[in-house]
Amino acid sequence: QLDARLPASDIPELQRLGVSFNRMAASLEDVEQRRRELISDLTHELRTPLTVVRGYLEELADGEVEPSTEIYTRLARETRRLERLVNDLQELSKAEAGYLPINLQPVNLYPLLEALVEKFSDQILEDGPVLRLNCSPQLPPVLADIDRVEQVLVNLLGNAIRYTSQGAITIRAWTQSRKLWIAVSDTGIGIAKQNLPHVFERFWRADRSRDRHSGGTGIGLAISRRLVELQGGQIFVESELGKGSTFSFFLPLA
Ligand code: ADP
């Protein structure tokens, strides 16, 4: 019926639309499936620390255990875990609602890079990777929101540390055609080639149980990409399984 009424030239166009519609539906289904997994993971992730915290508090209140540094350290660790989860969820819901205020100003990023290297070096275990900064202290200013750039770098460095047991994590920065590039490279587990197109998708994780165990939610890189793009930049990944990964992004010079 339809064919009879349409000019022949419109049919390939309609077929193309059909194919792209099917693709869209499949990708929405994927996101929906991952959202369901995320909620079930989050429920589990929230319940575990809550059970530990409640257990200790009840035992302390009943005098069943003596207060000790060990117990307080454990309580603090579980509370931090809860905090991280809540922060991730909050960022995600802001990003999804389109509410991520960006305040662009000319900023010099070198002091931020230095401060982050210092902060994250403290978090790496003694036999873990070394963290180094490899760039000139005279970086030209970029037009960016420094808090948002920090958020992106905290995500990238957090991942690099999480997925690298030894070797080095290197931050580099350089300018090229009116852009400042920043790259975070690691010598960690790497990402399989077929997975590279997915890493910036929300809720995507290479290995659901492993990455959940390491505190991952699959939200960080999706938010990072959005933040970089809102500042007029772009973010990229290169990686080789078992060898390491490099996440790089650029921002426009001021
Ligand atoms: P998560 O909170 O799970 O780390 P992200 O969005 O930050 O979420 O990352 C998504 C997934 O990409 C991770 O679960 C992990 O599988 C993979 N990934 C991210 N960064 C790295 C890295 N530096 N090395 C290896 N895999 C990584």
Side-chain angles (χ1 to χ4, degrees), residues 88 159-160 162-163 186 189-191 199 204-207 210-211 215-222 245 247:
D88 269 5
N159 281 345
R162 194 181 292 160
Y163 300 113
D186 65 57
I189 60 171
I191 301 162
V199 294
W204 187 86
R205 286 163 301 166
D207 178 332
R210 178 204 70 196
D211 296 342
T217 49
I219 294 174
L221 286 176
S245 314
F247 286 85

mmCIF file with all atom_site columns, all heavy atoms in Angstrom, residues 88 159-160 162-163 186 189-191 199 204-207 210-211 215-222 245 247, ligand 1:
data_model
loop_
_atom_site.group_PDB
_atom_site.id
_atom_site.type_symbol
_atom_site.label_atom_id
_atom_site.label_alt_id
_atom_site.label_comp_id
_atom_site.label_asym_id
_atom_site.label_entity_id
_atom_site.label_seq_id
_atom_site.pdbx_PDB_ins_code
_atom_site.Cartn_x
_atom_site.Cartn_y
_atom_site.Cartn_z
_atom_site.occupancy
_atom_site.B_iso_or_equiv
_atom_site.pdbx_formal_charge
_atom_site.auth_seq_id
_atom_site.auth_comp_id
_atom_site.auth_asym_id
_atom_site.auth_atom_id
_atom_site.pdbx_PDB_model_num
ATOM   1   N N   . ASP A 1 88  ? 28.102 10.313 43.578 1.00 0.00 ? 88  ASP A N   1
ATOM   2   C CA  . ASP A 1 88  ? 27.974 9.876  42.183 1.00 0.00 ? 88  ASP A CA  1
ATOM   3   C C   . ASP A 1 88  ? 26.538 9.997  41.706 1.00 0.00 ? 88  ASP A C   1
ATOM   4   O O   . ASP A 1 88  ? 26.258 10.480 40.609 1.00 0.00 ? 88  ASP A O   1
ATOM   5   C CB  . ASP A 1 88  ? 28.390 8.410  42.045 1.00 0.00 ? 88  ASP A CB  1
ATOM   6   C CG  . ASP A 1 88  ? 29.865 8.271  41.728 1.00 0.00 ? 88  ASP A CG  1
ATOM   7   O OD1 . ASP A 1 88  ? 30.552 9.304  41.707 1.00 0.00 ? 88  ASP A OD1 1
ATOM   8   O OD2 . ASP A 1 88  ? 30.314 7.134  41.518 1.00 0.00 ? 88  ASP A OD2 1
ATOM   9   N N   . ASN A 1 159 ? 40.193 6.634  38.408 1.00 0.00 ? 159 ASN A N   1
ATOM   10  C CA  . ASN A 1 159 ? 40.151 5.417  37.591 1.00 0.00 ? 159 ASN A CA  1
ATOM   11  C C   . ASN A 1 159 ? 41.552 4.860  37.371 1.00 0.00 ? 159 ASN A C   1
ATOM   12  O O   . ASN A 1 159 ? 41.774 3.655  37.496 1.00 0.00 ? 159 ASN A O   1
ATOM   13  C CB  . ASN A 1 159 ? 39.532 5.708  36.215 1.00 0.00 ? 159 ASN A CB  1
ATOM   14  C CG  . ASN A 1 159 ? 38.011 5.768  36.284 1.00 0.00 ? 159 ASN A CG  1
ATOM   15  O OD1 . ASN A 1 159 ? 37.414 5.338  37.250 1.00 0.00 ? 159 ASN A OD1 1
ATOM   16  N ND2 . ASN A 1 159 ? 37.403 6.313  35.241 1.00 0.00 ? 159 ASN A ND2 1
ATOM   17  N N   . ALA A 1 160 ? 42.486 5.755  37.005 1.00 0.00 ? 160 ALA A N   1
ATOM   18  C CA  . ALA A 1 160 ? 43.852 5.298  36.712 1.00 0.00 ? 160 ALA A CA  1
ATOM   19  C C   . ALA A 1 160 ? 44.401 4.548  37.925 1.00 0.00 ? 160 ALA A C   1
ATOM   20  O O   . ALA A 1 160 ? 44.990 3.466  37.789 1.00 0.00 ? 160 ALA A O   1
ATOM   21  C CB  . ALA A 1 160 ? 44.749 6.484  36.346 1.00 0.00 ? 160 ALA A CB  1
ATOM   22  N N   . ARG A 1 162 ? 42.627 3.174  40.388 1.00 0.00 ? 162 ARG A N   1
ATOM   23  C CA  . ARG A 1 162 ? 41.803 2.001  40.655 1.00 0.00 ? 162 ARG A CA  1
ATOM   24  C C   . ARG A 1 162 ? 42.183 0.818  39.762 1.00 0.00 ? 162 ARG A C   1
ATOM   25  O O   . ARG A 1 162 ? 42.157 -0.324 40.173 1.00 0.00 ? 162 ARG A O   1
ATOM   26  C CB  . ARG A 1 162 ? 40.341 2.380  40.400 1.00 0.00 ? 162 ARG A CB  1
ATOM   27  C CG  . ARG A 1 162 ? 39.338 1.407  40.937 1.00 0.00 ? 162 ARG A CG  1
ATOM   28  C CD  . ARG A 1 162 ? 37.921 1.864  40.618 1.00 0.00 ? 162 ARG A CD  1
ATOM   29  N NE  . ARG A 1 162 ? 37.540 3.066  41.340 1.00 0.00 ? 162 ARG A NE  1
ATOM   30  C CZ  . ARG A 1 162 ? 36.534 3.868  40.961 1.00 0.00 ? 162 ARG A CZ  1
ATOM   31  N NH1 . ARG A 1 162 ? 35.841 3.602  39.874 1.00 0.00 ? 162 ARG A NH1 1
ATOM   32  N NH2 . ARG A 1 162 ? 36.235 4.928  41.657 1.00 0.00 ? 162 ARG A NH2 1
ATOM   33  N N   . TYR A 1 163 ? 42.530 1.121  38.508 1.00 0.00 ? 163 TYR A N   1
ATOM   34  C CA  . TYR A 1 163 ? 42.764 0.034  37.553 1.00 0.00 ? 163 TYR A CA  1
ATOM   35  C C   . TYR A 1 163 ? 44.256 -0.192 37.256 1.00 0.00 ? 163 TYR A C   1
ATOM   36  O O   . TYR A 1 163 ? 44.595 -0.788 36.244 1.00 0.00 ? 163 TYR A O   1
ATOM   37  C CB  . TYR A 1 163 ? 41.973 0.293  36.262 1.00 0.00 ? 163 TYR A CB  1
ATOM   38  C CG  . TYR A 1 163 ? 40.475 0.384  36.525 1.00 0.00 ? 163 TYR A CG  1
ATOM   39  C CD1 . TYR A 1 163 ? 39.777 1.587  36.364 1.00 0.00 ? 163 TYR A CD1 1
ATOM   40  C CD2 . TYR A 1 163 ? 39.769 -0.735 36.966 1.00 0.00 ? 163 TYR A CD2 1
ATOM   41  C CE1 . TYR A 1 163 ? 38.411 1.668  36.630 1.00 0.00 ? 163 TYR A CE1 1
ATOM   42  C CE2 . TYR A 1 163 ? 38.407 -0.661 37.235 1.00 0.00 ? 163 TYR A CE2 1
ATOM   43  C CZ  . TYR A 1 163 ? 37.738 0.545  37.069 1.00 0.00 ? 163 TYR A CZ  1
ATOM   44  O OH  . TYR A 1 163 ? 36.383 0.621  37.333 1.00 0.00 ? 163 TYR A OH  1
ATOM   45  N N   . ASP A 1 186 ? 48.040 5.519  32.092 1.00 0.00 ? 186 ASP A N   1
ATOM   46  C CA  . ASP A 1 186 ? 48.399 4.559  33.139 1.00 0.00 ? 186 ASP A CA  1
ATOM   47  C C   . ASP A 1 186 ? 48.949 3.288  32.522 1.00 0.00 ? 186 ASP A C   1
ATOM   48  O O   . ASP A 1 186 ? 48.846 3.072  31.308 1.00 0.00 ? 186 ASP A O   1
ATOM   49  C CB  . ASP A 1 186 ? 47.191 4.259  34.053 1.00 0.00 ? 186 ASP A CB  1
ATOM   50  C CG  . ASP A 1 186 ? 46.062 3.554  33.329 1.00 0.00 ? 186 ASP A CG  1
ATOM   51  O OD1 . ASP A 1 186 ? 46.305 2.468  32.754 1.00 0.00 ? 186 ASP A OD1 1
ATOM   52  O OD2 . ASP A 1 186 ? 44.921 4.073  33.336 1.00 0.00 ? 186 ASP A OD2 1
ATOM   53  N N   . ILE A 1 189 ? 45.332 -2.218 33.765 1.00 0.00 ? 189 ILE A N   1
ATOM   54  C CA  . ILE A 1 189 ? 44.737 -3.399 33.121 1.00 0.00 ? 189 ILE A CA  1
ATOM   55  C C   . ILE A 1 189 ? 44.306 -3.149 31.678 1.00 0.00 ? 189 ILE A C   1
ATOM   56  O O   . ILE A 1 189 ? 44.154 -4.068 30.904 1.00 0.00 ? 189 ILE A O   1
ATOM   57  C CB  . ILE A 1 189 ? 43.518 -3.922 33.920 1.00 0.00 ? 189 ILE A CB  1
ATOM   58  C CG1 . ILE A 1 189 ? 42.429 -2.858 34.029 1.00 0.00 ? 189 ILE A CG1 1
ATOM   59  C CG2 . ILE A 1 189 ? 43.932 -4.399 35.290 1.00 0.00 ? 189 ILE A CG2 1
ATOM   60  C CD1 . ILE A 1 189 ? 41.124 -3.384 34.603 1.00 0.00 ? 189 ILE A CD1 1
ATOM   61  N N   . GLY A 1 190 ? 44.087 -1.872 31.308 1.00 0.00 ? 190 GLY A N   1
ATOM   62  C CA  . GLY A 1 190 ? 43.689 -1.569 29.937 1.00 0.00 ? 190 GLY A CA  1
ATOM   63  C C   . GLY A 1 190 ? 42.246 -1.942 29.644 1.00 0.00 ? 190 GLY A C   1
ATOM   64  O O   . GLY A 1 190 ? 41.541 -2.507 30.493 1.00 0.00 ? 190 GLY A O   1
ATOM   65  N N   . ILE A 1 191 ? 41.814 -1.603 28.436 1.00 0.00 ? 191 ILE A N   1
ATOM   66  C CA  . ILE A 1 191 ? 40.423 -1.833 28.028 1.00 0.00 ? 191 ILE A CA  1
ATOM   67  C C   . ILE A 1 191 ? 40.450 -2.520 26.662 1.00 0.00 ? 191 ILE A C   1
ATOM   68  O O   . ILE A 1 191 ? 41.204 -2.107 25.777 1.00 0.00 ? 191 ILE A O   1
ATOM   69  C CB  . ILE A 1 191 ? 39.667 -0.488 27.918 1.00 0.00 ? 191 ILE A CB  1
ATOM   70  C CG1 . ILE A 1 191 ? 39.689 0.250  29.273 1.00 0.00 ? 191 ILE A CG1 1
ATOM   71  C CG2 . ILE A 1 191 ? 38.231 -0.679 27.447 1.00 0.00 ? 191 ILE A CG2 1
ATOM   72  C CD1 . ILE A 1 191 ? 39.367 1.724  29.182 1.00 0.00 ? 191 ILE A CD1 1
ATOM   73  N N   . VAL A 1 199 ? 33.131 3.224  26.642 1.00 0.00 ? 199 VAL A N   1
ATOM   74  C CA  . VAL A 1 199 ? 33.588 3.656  27.967 1.00 0.00 ? 199 VAL A CA  1
ATOM   75  C C   . VAL A 1 199 ? 32.947 4.952  28.460 1.00 0.00 ? 199 VAL A C   1
ATOM   76  O O   . VAL A 1 199 ? 32.812 5.154  29.659 1.00 0.00 ? 199 VAL A O   1
ATOM   77  C CB  . VAL A 1 199 ? 35.130 3.787  28.088 1.00 0.00 ? 199 VAL A CB  1
ATOM   78  C CG1 . VAL A 1 199 ? 35.807 2.455  27.960 1.00 0.00 ? 199 VAL A CG1 1
ATOM   79  C CG2 . VAL A 1 199 ? 35.679 4.781  27.112 1.00 0.00 ? 199 VAL A CG2 1
ATOM   80  N N   . TRP A 1 204 ? 28.159 2.148  31.886 1.00 0.00 ? 204 TRP A N   1
ATOM   81  C CA  . TRP A 1 204 ? 28.950 1.087  31.281 1.00 0.00 ? 204 TRP A CA  1
ATOM   82  C C   . TRP A 1 204 ? 30.156 0.737  32.137 1.00 0.00 ? 204 TRP A C   1
ATOM   83  O O   . TRP A 1 204 ? 30.888 1.609  32.591 1.00 0.00 ? 204 TRP A O   1
ATOM   84  C CB  . TRP A 1 204 ? 29.411 1.466  29.872 1.00 0.00 ? 204 TRP A CB  1
ATOM   85  C CG  . TRP A 1 204 ? 30.063 0.285  29.220 1.00 0.00 ? 204 TRP A CG  1
ATOM   86  C CD1 . TRP A 1 204 ? 29.462 -0.710 28.521 1.00 0.00 ? 204 TRP A CD1 1
ATOM   87  C CD2 . TRP A 1 204 ? 31.451 -0.056 29.289 1.00 0.00 ? 204 TRP A CD2 1
ATOM   88  N NE1 . TRP A 1 204 ? 30.384 -1.658 28.152 1.00 0.00 ? 204 TRP A NE1 1
ATOM   89  C CE2 . TRP A 1 204 ? 31.608 -1.280 28.611 1.00 0.00 ? 204 TRP A CE2 1
ATOM   90  C CE3 . TRP A 1 204 ? 32.572 0.545  29.868 1.00 0.00 ? 204 TRP A CE3 1
ATOM   91  C CZ2 . TRP A 1 204 ? 32.835 -1.911 28.485 1.00 0.00 ? 204 TRP A CZ2 1
ATOM   92  C CZ3 . TRP A 1 204 ? 33.795 -0.087 29.749 1.00 0.00 ? 204 TRP A CZ3 1
ATOM   93  C CH2 . TRP A 1 204 ? 33.924 -1.308 29.062 1.00 0.00 ? 204 TRP A CH2 1
ATOM   94  N N   . ARG A 1 205 ? 30.359 -0.551 32.398 1.00 0.00 ? 205 ARG A N   1
ATOM   95  C CA  . ARG A 1 205 ? 31.558 -1.022 33.075 1.00 0.00 ? 205 ARG A CA  1
ATOM   96  C C   . ARG A 1 205 ? 32.052 -2.260 32.367 1.00 0.00 ? 205 ARG A C   1
ATOM   97  O O   . ARG A 1 205 ? 31.256 -3.084 31.937 1.00 0.00 ? 205 ARG A O   1
ATOM   98  C CB  . ARG A 1 205 ? 31.245 -1.356 34.542 1.00 0.00 ? 205 ARG A CB  1
ATOM   99  C CG  . ARG A 1 205 ? 31.044 -0.109 35.404 1.00 0.00 ? 205 ARG A CG  1
ATOM   100 C CD  . ARG A 1 205 ? 30.346 -0.446 36.681 1.00 0.00 ? 205 ARG A CD  1
ATOM   101 N NE  . ARG A 1 205 ? 29.052 -1.034 36.385 1.00 0.00 ? 205 ARG A NE  1
ATOM   102 C CZ  . ARG A 1 205 ? 28.314 -1.671 37.264 1.00 0.00 ? 205 ARG A CZ  1
ATOM   103 N NH1 . ARG A 1 205 ? 28.731 -1.810 38.482 1.00 0.00 ? 205 ARG A NH1 1
ATOM   104 N NH2 . ARG A 1 205 ? 27.162 -2.171 36.912 1.00 0.00 ? 205 ARG A NH2 1
ATOM   105 N N   . ALA A 1 206 ? 33.385 -2.392 32.251 1.00 0.00 ? 206 ALA A N   1
ATOM   106 C CA  . ALA A 1 206 ? 33.944 -3.525 31.500 1.00 0.00 ? 206 ALA A CA  1
ATOM   107 C C   . ALA A 1 206 ? 33.532 -4.840 32.162 1.00 0.00 ? 206 ALA A C   1
ATOM   108 O O   . ALA A 1 206 ? 33.185 -5.796 31.489 1.00 0.00 ? 206 ALA A O   1
ATOM   109 C CB  . ALA A 1 206 ? 35.463 -3.410 31.450 1.00 0.00 ? 206 ALA A CB  1
ATOM   110 N N   . ASP A 1 207 ? 33.574 -4.855 33.474 1.00 0.00 ? 207 ASP A N   1
ATOM   111 C CA  . ASP A 1 207 ? 33.334 -6.092 34.186 1.00 0.00 ? 207 ASP A CA  1
ATOM   112 C C   . ASP A 1 207 ? 32.486 -5.748 35.402 1.00 0.00 ? 207 ASP A C   1
ATOM   113 O O   . ASP A 1 207 ? 32.975 -5.183 36.369 1.00 0.00 ? 207 ASP A O   1
ATOM   114 C CB  . ASP A 1 207 ? 34.691 -6.681 34.607 1.00 0.00 ? 207 ASP A CB  1
ATOM   115 C CG  . ASP A 1 207 ? 34.537 -7.966 35.404 1.00 0.00 ? 207 ASP A CG  1
ATOM   116 O OD1 . ASP A 1 207 ? 33.505 -8.138 36.079 1.00 0.00 ? 207 ASP A OD1 1
ATOM   117 O OD2 . ASP A 1 207 ? 35.462 -8.787 35.343 1.00 0.00 ? 207 ASP A OD2 1
ATOM   118 N N   . ARG A 1 210 ? 33.626 -7.132 38.940 1.00 0.00 ? 210 ARG A N   1
ATOM   119 C CA  . ARG A 1 210 ? 34.942 -6.633 39.346 1.00 0.00 ? 210 ARG A CA  1
ATOM   120 C C   . ARG A 1 210 ? 34.895 -5.130 39.598 1.00 0.00 ? 210 ARG A C   1
ATOM   121 O O   . ARG A 1 210 ? 35.349 -4.633 40.612 1.00 0.00 ? 210 ARG A O   1
ATOM   122 C CB  . ARG A 1 210 ? 35.976 -6.926 38.247 1.00 0.00 ? 210 ARG A CB  1
ATOM   123 C CG  . ARG A 1 210 ? 37.365 -6.385 38.570 1.00 0.00 ? 210 ARG A CG  1
ATOM   124 C CD  . ARG A 1 210 ? 38.192 -6.155 37.315 1.00 0.00 ? 210 ARG A CD  1
ATOM   125 N NE  . ARG A 1 210 ? 37.678 -5.026 36.560 1.00 0.00 ? 210 ARG A NE  1
ATOM   126 C CZ  . ARG A 1 210 ? 37.990 -4.786 35.311 1.00 0.00 ? 210 ARG A CZ  1
ATOM   127 N NH1 . ARG A 1 210 ? 38.779 -5.592 34.662 1.00 0.00 ? 210 ARG A NH1 1
ATOM   128 N NH2 . ARG A 1 210 ? 37.496 -3.731 34.694 1.00 0.00 ? 210 ARG A NH2 1
ATOM   129 N N   . ASP A 1 211 ? 34.301 -4.399 38.627 1.00 0.00 ? 211 ASP A N   1
ATOM   130 C CA  . ASP A 1 211 ? 34.319 -2.943 38.733 1.00 0.00 ? 211 ASP A CA  1
ATOM   131 C C   . ASP A 1 211 ? 33.436 -2.461 39.881 1.00 0.00 ? 211 ASP A C   1
ATOM   132 O O   . ASP A 1 211 ? 33.702 -1.431 40.479 1.00 0.00 ? 211 ASP A O   1
ATOM   133 C CB  . ASP A 1 211 ? 33.927 -2.294 37.409 1.00 0.00 ? 211 ASP A CB  1
ATOM   134 C CG  . ASP A 1 211 ? 34.943 -2.610 36.323 1.00 0.00 ? 211 ASP A CG  1
ATOM   135 O OD1 . ASP A 1 211 ? 36.061 -3.011 36.671 1.00 0.00 ? 211 ASP A OD1 1
ATOM   136 O OD2 . ASP A 1 211 ? 34.614 -2.470 35.135 1.00 0.00 ? 211 ASP A OD2 1
ATOM   137 N N   . GLY A 1 215 ? 34.518 -0.334 43.641 1.00 0.00 ? 215 GLY A N   1
ATOM   138 C CA  . GLY A 1 215 ? 33.849 0.924  43.968 1.00 0.00 ? 215 GLY A CA  1
ATOM   139 C C   . GLY A 1 215 ? 33.292 1.633  42.750 1.00 0.00 ? 215 GLY A C   1
ATOM   140 O O   . GLY A 1 215 ? 32.824 2.756  42.842 1.00 0.00 ? 215 GLY A O   1
ATOM   141 N N   . GLY A 1 216 ? 33.342 0.987  41.590 1.00 0.00 ? 216 GLY A N   1
ATOM   142 C CA  . GLY A 1 216 ? 32.894 1.635  40.356 1.00 0.00 ? 216 GLY A CA  1
ATOM   143 C C   . GLY A 1 216 ? 31.383 1.607  40.176 1.00 0.00 ? 216 GLY A C   1
ATOM   144 O O   . GLY A 1 216 ? 30.710 0.705  40.639 1.00 0.00 ? 216 GLY A O   1
ATOM   145 N N   . THR A 1 217 ? 30.866 2.631  39.504 1.00 0.00 ? 217 THR A N   1
ATOM   146 C CA  . THR A 1 217 ? 29.435 2.668  39.214 1.00 0.00 ? 217 THR A CA  1
ATOM   147 C C   . THR A 1 217 ? 29.180 2.877  37.720 1.00 0.00 ? 217 THR A C   1
ATOM   148 O O   . THR A 1 217 ? 28.048 2.829  37.278 1.00 0.00 ? 217 THR A O   1
ATOM   149 C CB  . THR A 1 217 ? 28.756 3.827  39.968 1.00 0.00 ? 217 THR A CB  1
ATOM   150 O OG1 . THR A 1 217 ? 29.520 5.008  39.736 1.00 0.00 ? 217 THR A OG1 1
ATOM   151 C CG2 . THR A 1 217 ? 28.682 3.561  41.448 1.00 0.00 ? 217 THR A CG2 1
ATOM   152 N N   . GLY A 1 218 ? 30.238 3.137  36.949 1.00 0.00 ? 218 GLY A N   1
ATOM   153 C CA  . GLY A 1 218 ? 30.037 3.377  35.525 1.00 0.00 ? 218 GLY A CA  1
ATOM   154 C C   . GLY A 1 218 ? 29.454 4.746  35.220 1.00 0.00 ? 218 GLY A C   1
ATOM   155 O O   . GLY A 1 218 ? 28.903 4.972  34.145 1.00 0.00 ? 218 GLY A O   1
ATOM   156 N N   . ILE A 1 219 ? 29.588 5.669  36.143 1.00 0.00 ? 219 ILE A N   1
ATOM   157 C CA  . ILE A 1 219 ? 29.008 6.993  35.959 1.00 0.00 ? 219 ILE A CA  1
ATOM   158 C C   . ILE A 1 219 ? 30.076 8.043  35.656 1.00 0.00 ? 219 ILE A C   1
ATOM   159 O O   . ILE A 1 219 ? 29.863 8.975  34.893 1.00 0.00 ? 219 ILE A O   1
ATOM   160 C CB  . ILE A 1 219 ? 28.232 7.409  37.244 1.00 0.00 ? 219 ILE A CB  1
ATOM   161 C CG1 . ILE A 1 219 ? 27.026 6.489  37.445 1.00 0.00 ? 219 ILE A CG1 1
ATOM   162 C CG2 . ILE A 1 219 ? 27.765 8.860  37.153 1.00 0.00 ? 219 ILE A CG2 1
ATOM   163 C CD1 . ILE A 1 219 ? 26.309 6.733  38.755 1.00 0.00 ? 219 ILE A CD1 1
ATOM   164 N N   . GLY A 1 220 ? 31.262 7.847  36.242 1.00 0.00 ? 220 GLY A N   1
ATOM   165 C CA  . GLY A 1 220 ? 32.305 8.880  36.201 1.00 0.00 ? 220 GLY A CA  1
ATOM   166 C C   . GLY A 1 220 ? 32.659 9.379  34.810 1.00 0.00 ? 220 GLY A C   1
ATOM   167 O O   . GLY A 1 220 ? 32.703 10.595 34.575 1.00 0.00 ? 220 GLY A O   1
ATOM   168 N N   . LEU A 1 221 ? 32.888 8.469  33.869 1.00 0.00 ? 221 LEU A N   1
ATOM   169 C CA  . LEU A 1 221 ? 33.340 8.908  32.547 1.00 0.00 ? 221 LEU A CA  1
ATOM   170 C C   . LEU A 1 221 ? 32.220 9.560  31.749 1.00 0.00 ? 221 LEU A C   1
ATOM   171 O O   . LEU A 1 221 ? 32.471 10.462 30.949 1.00 0.00 ? 221 LEU A O   1
ATOM   172 C CB  . LEU A 1 221 ? 33.929 7.724  31.765 1.00 0.00 ? 221 LEU A CB  1
ATOM   173 C CG  . LEU A 1 221 ? 35.316 7.261  32.237 1.00 0.00 ? 221 LEU A CG  1
ATOM   174 C CD1 . LEU A 1 221 ? 35.745 6.022  31.466 1.00 0.00 ? 221 LEU A CD1 1
ATOM   175 C CD2 . LEU A 1 221 ? 36.340 8.370  32.076 1.00 0.00 ? 221 LEU A CD2 1
ATOM   176 N N   . ALA A 1 222 ? 30.985 9.119  31.969 1.00 0.00 ? 222 ALA A N   1
ATOM   177 C CA  . ALA A 1 222 ? 29.856 9.763  31.275 1.00 0.00 ? 222 ALA A CA  1
ATOM   178 C C   . ALA A 1 222 ? 29.751 11.223 31.723 1.00 0.00 ? 222 ALA A C   1
ATOM   179 O O   . ALA A 1 222 ? 29.564 12.131 30.901 1.00 0.00 ? 222 ALA A O   1
ATOM   180 C CB  . ALA A 1 222 ? 28.563 9.015  31.575 1.00 0.00 ? 222 ALA A CB  1
ATOM   181 N N   . SER A 1 245 ? 46.089 2.513  29.664 1.00 0.00 ? 245 SER A N   1
ATOM   182 C CA  . SER A 1 245 ? 45.122 3.382  28.993 1.00 0.00 ? 245 SER A CA  1
ATOM   183 C C   . SER A 1 245 ? 45.593 4.821  29.040 1.00 0.00 ? 245 SER A C   1
ATOM   184 O O   . SER A 1 245 ? 46.312 5.231  29.958 1.00 0.00 ? 245 SER A O   1
ATOM   185 C CB  . SER A 1 245 ? 43.769 3.327  29.699 1.00 0.00 ? 245 SER A CB  1
ATOM   186 O OG  . SER A 1 245 ? 43.406 2.003  29.990 1.00 0.00 ? 245 SER A OG  1
ATOM   187 N N   . PHE A 1 247 ? 43.631 8.555  28.741 1.00 0.00 ? 247 PHE A N   1
ATOM   188 C CA  . PHE A 1 247 ? 42.460 9.398  28.534 1.00 0.00 ? 247 PHE A CA  1
ATOM   189 C C   . PHE A 1 247 ? 42.965 10.812 28.316 1.00 0.00 ? 247 PHE A C   1
ATOM   190 O O   . PHE A 1 247 ? 43.737 11.333 29.118 1.00 0.00 ? 247 PHE A O   1
ATOM   191 C CB  . PHE A 1 247 ? 41.530 9.358  29.758 1.00 0.00 ? 247 PHE A CB  1
ATOM   192 C CG  . PHE A 1 247 ? 40.768 8.067  29.866 1.00 0.00 ? 247 PHE A CG  1
ATOM   193 C CD1 . PHE A 1 247 ? 41.330 6.960  30.475 1.00 0.00 ? 247 PHE A CD1 1
ATOM   194 C CD2 . PHE A 1 247 ? 39.487 7.967  29.329 1.00 0.00 ? 247 PHE A CD2 1
ATOM   195 C CE1 . PHE A 1 247 ? 40.625 5.757  30.555 1.00 0.00 ? 247 PHE A CE1 1
ATOM   196 C CE2 . PHE A 1 247 ? 38.781 6.770  29.407 1.00 0.00 ? 247 PHE A CE2 1
ATOM   197 C CZ  . PHE A 1 247 ? 39.355 5.663  30.017 1.00 0.00 ? 247 PHE A CZ  1
HETATM 198 P P1  . ADP B 2 .   ? 33.514 3.443  37.252 1.00 0.00 ? 1   ADP B P1  1
HETATM 199 O O1  . ADP B 2 .   ? 32.924 4.211  38.391 1.00 0.00 ? 1   ADP B O1  1
HETATM 200 O O2  . ADP B 2 .   ? 32.947 2.058  37.096 1.00 0.00 ? 1   ADP B O2  1
HETATM 201 O O3  . ADP B 2 .   ? 35.011 3.485  37.210 1.00 0.00 ? 1   ADP B O3  1
HETATM 202 P P2  . ADP B 2 .   ? 33.638 5.084  34.886 1.00 0.00 ? 1   ADP B P2  1
HETATM 203 O O4  . ADP B 2 .   ? 32.556 5.684  34.060 1.00 0.00 ? 1   ADP B O4  1
HETATM 204 O O5  . ADP B 2 .   ? 34.636 6.012  35.490 1.00 0.00 ? 1   ADP B O5  1
HETATM 205 O O6  . ADP B 2 .   ? 32.930 4.229  35.999 1.00 0.00 ? 1   ADP B O6  1
HETATM 206 O O7  . ADP B 2 .   ? 34.394 4.010  34.008 1.00 0.00 ? 1   ADP B O7  1
HETATM 207 C C1  . ADP B 2 .   ? 33.634 3.061  33.255 1.00 0.00 ? 1   ADP B C1  1
HETATM 208 C C2  . ADP B 2 .   ? 34.409 1.771  33.062 1.00 0.00 ? 1   ADP B C2  1
HETATM 209 O O8  . ADP B 2 .   ? 35.539 1.998  32.200 1.00 0.00 ? 1   ADP B O8  1
HETATM 210 C C3  . ADP B 2 .   ? 35.009 1.205  34.344 1.00 0.00 ? 1   ADP B C3  1
HETATM 211 O O9  . ADP B 2 .   ? 34.083 0.423  35.049 1.00 0.00 ? 1   ADP B O9  1
HETATM 212 C C4  . ADP B 2 .   ? 36.175 0.385  33.811 1.00 0.00 ? 1   ADP B C4  1
HETATM 213 O O10 . ADP B 2 .   ? 35.710 -0.879 33.349 1.00 0.00 ? 1   ADP B O10 1
HETATM 214 C C5  . ADP B 2 .   ? 36.623 1.176  32.587 1.00 0.00 ? 1   ADP B C5  1
HETATM 215 N N1  . ADP B 2 .   ? 37.773 2.084  32.881 1.00 0.00 ? 1   ADP B N1  1
HETATM 216 C C6  . ADP B 2 .   ? 37.725 3.405  33.150 1.00 0.00 ? 1   ADP B C6  1
HETATM 217 N N2  . ADP B 2 .   ? 38.964 3.928  33.343 1.00 0.00 ? 1   ADP B N2  1
HETATM 218 C C7  . ADP B 2 .   ? 39.828 2.893  33.188 1.00 0.00 ? 1   ADP B C7  1
HETATM 219 C C8  . ADP B 2 .   ? 41.265 2.779  33.253 1.00 0.00 ? 1   ADP B C8  1
HETATM 220 N N3  . ADP B 2 .   ? 42.063 3.822  33.519 1.00 0.00 ? 1   ADP B N3  1
HETATM 221 N N4  . ADP B 2 .   ? 41.805 1.536  33.025 1.00 0.00 ? 1   ADP B N4  1
HETATM 222 C C9  . ADP B 2 .   ? 41.008 0.478  32.745 1.00 0.00 ? 1   ADP B C9  1
HETATM 223 N N5  . ADP B 2 .   ? 39.651 0.527  32.679 1.00 0.00 ? 1   ADP B N5  1
HETATM 224 C C10 . ADP B 2 .   ? 39.070 1.709  32.883 1.00 0.00 ? 1   ADP B C10 1
#
